[in-house]
Amino acid sequence: MFLAAPVSLQPALPTQAQASVSAQHNQMRSLSPDRLRPTSPGDLSDSGGESPLMTGAPERPNPAIIREQIVRLRSAVNQERRRVKARAALFVLAKYLVEETETLDLHEHEEAKKEAFSILSKLSRAGVADAQYYLGKAYAEDHDYAHATPLFLKAARQSHPAACYALSSCYEAGRGCKKDLRSANSYLRQAASAGNDHAMFRIGTALLHGEVGFPVNSREGIKWLKRCAASEASSIQPHVLLHLSAIYERGLGSDVPSDAKAALSYLSEAARSRFPPAQTRLARAHETGRLGLPVNLVRAVALYKRAAAPHGGGPGDPEAQHALADLYLRGVDGVLPASDLDAVAWARRAAAQAHPGAEYSMGYFCEYGVGVRPDWETALHWYRLAASHGSRLAANRLAKLPDAAAPAARV
């Protein structure tokens, strides 16, 4: 989902036809209320959103509390006589109707979305930047940039930071507009200067690689990444810390020399934020003795288990799950007993998330009957799936084996 997946920050989305800003009236008529679907709370904020990989999602209030809050918000709108504040109160109501009404019955939820759409459409036509950006996001989530980009442009012209970042991404990729790196660069700078964390990260990576019209400048890129990482309000701080750790681990030539101490510091800070990919990377460092750490399998297993556990509504980090499958298969003296059943269980969880290594492991387990009953057809299924996801081991295994049936000696 555009602007809501901080892991990539530059999502690849289908190219759309060019759109003129004057098409806004038709946009309001063509946008279905069904496109107004709840996202993570941060997706509705000006700063680019809260990562879904962060802390666990809060419990939804019960329907009675939701209805009471809607009444209070409507009352606040009715009591506000000043136009600007009334519009702000309406926008808060519209967001709440989209974001918090899923626990109501289906009819109430649909009516809430219709009301929200009506409010947002009116606010957008009235020039309210927050509403324009929010509706633009609704279109963008459906990959409809012919409608999304003009809305981002209207909001960006009012210096809306998140809209500036969104518009920069559209100009960079030519989605809903002609590709225009000069405009992409300009709006990206504007968003970053206003403190948009996604924009700061994008400028940092653009300077590292010479993208979006920026010349390569590793030192300046690192400064932007550090600025983003230093912001405690940044929703993507752990991701940026992990990125900095990887940079310092490998180095970037003479401009940014390799620094294991700095790499470990950034990685540890990201892991302390309960960011599963960082916990997995730190576990790997403890397991293999990287970044100046002594080998500590007890610590490694604990971190792997923490990262592999379901978190924030997600199924757990597949890299950590696959690592645990490998450790259970081999066993770790004094730490983990060897267990084929546990190895299969962890590999299956990672494979369910399309992890190529785990899919290959499932193929191996099914072929040789490790923790499961031997099943050649199922093994082939897993090998083919792993190969389609880029596993060279699976591709090589398939190349050596006939597709028909397994020889008796194979099992």
Side-chain angles (χ1 to χ4, degrees), residues 126-273:
V128 177
D130 281 336
Q132 292 165 342
Y133 171 65
Y134 185 58
L135 283 177
K137 277 169 55 69
Y139 279 119
E141 287 162 5
D142 281 347
H143 310 316
D144 185 353
Y145 281 83
H147 290 119
T149 302
L151 286 164
F152 290 148
L153 178 59
K154 281 184 173 289
R157 284 177 171 170
Q158 299 183 65
S159 299
H160 190 285
C164 288
Y165 171 70
L167 184 60
S168 172
S169 296
C170 292
Y171 275 128
E172 181 184 355
R175 294 182 176 113
C177 57
K178 290 183 178 180
K179 188 171 183 178
D180 183 347
L181 291 183
R182 180 176 295 182
S183 294
N185 184 295
S186 175
Y187 280 109
L188 185 59
R189 288 178 183 272
Q190 186 176 343
S193 297
N196 182 273
D197 50 3
H198 287 73
M200 288 190 286
F201 180 87
R202 184 65 187 116
I203 280 188
T205 57
L207 285 164
L208 292 180
H209 304 293
E211 299 168 337
V212 200
F214 288 97
V216 174
N217 188 331
S218 298
R219 291 179 182 176
E220 191 65 21
I222 291 293
K223 286 181 182 179
W224 275 105
L225 293 178
K226 287 182 176 180
R227 179 178 170 184
C228 184
S231 173
E232 294 184 359
S234 171
S235 62
I236 59 171
Q237 185 187 51
H239 170 76
V240 181
L241 290 168
L242 183 59
H243 198 79
L244 282 166
S245 173
I247 289 173
Y248 276 106
E249 182 176 1
R250 67 176 183 268
L252 291 174
S254 58
D255 287 342
V256 186
S258 176
D259 186 338
K261 185 176 180 180
L264 179 59
S265 176
Y266 285 121
L267 181 58
S268 298
E269 188 176 352
R272 284 194 296 272
S273 299

Side-chain angles (χ1 to χ4, degrees), residues 241-251 258-268 277-297 299-300 303-304 319 323:
L241 290 168
L242 183 59
H243 198 79
L244 282 166
S245 173
I247 289 173
Y248 276 106
E249 182 176 1
R250 67 176 183 268
S258 176
D259 186 338
K261 185 176 180 180
L264 179 59
S265 176
Y266 285 121
L267 181 58
S268 298
Q279 292 171 329
T280 300
R281 287 275 292 273
L282 186 58
R284 185 74 69 189
H286 280 292
E287 181 186 3
T288 59
R290 284 173 37 230
L291 302 180
L293 290 172
V295 173
N296 186 334
L297 295 178
R299 178 66 174 154
L303 282 166
Y304 278 138
E319 196 68 35

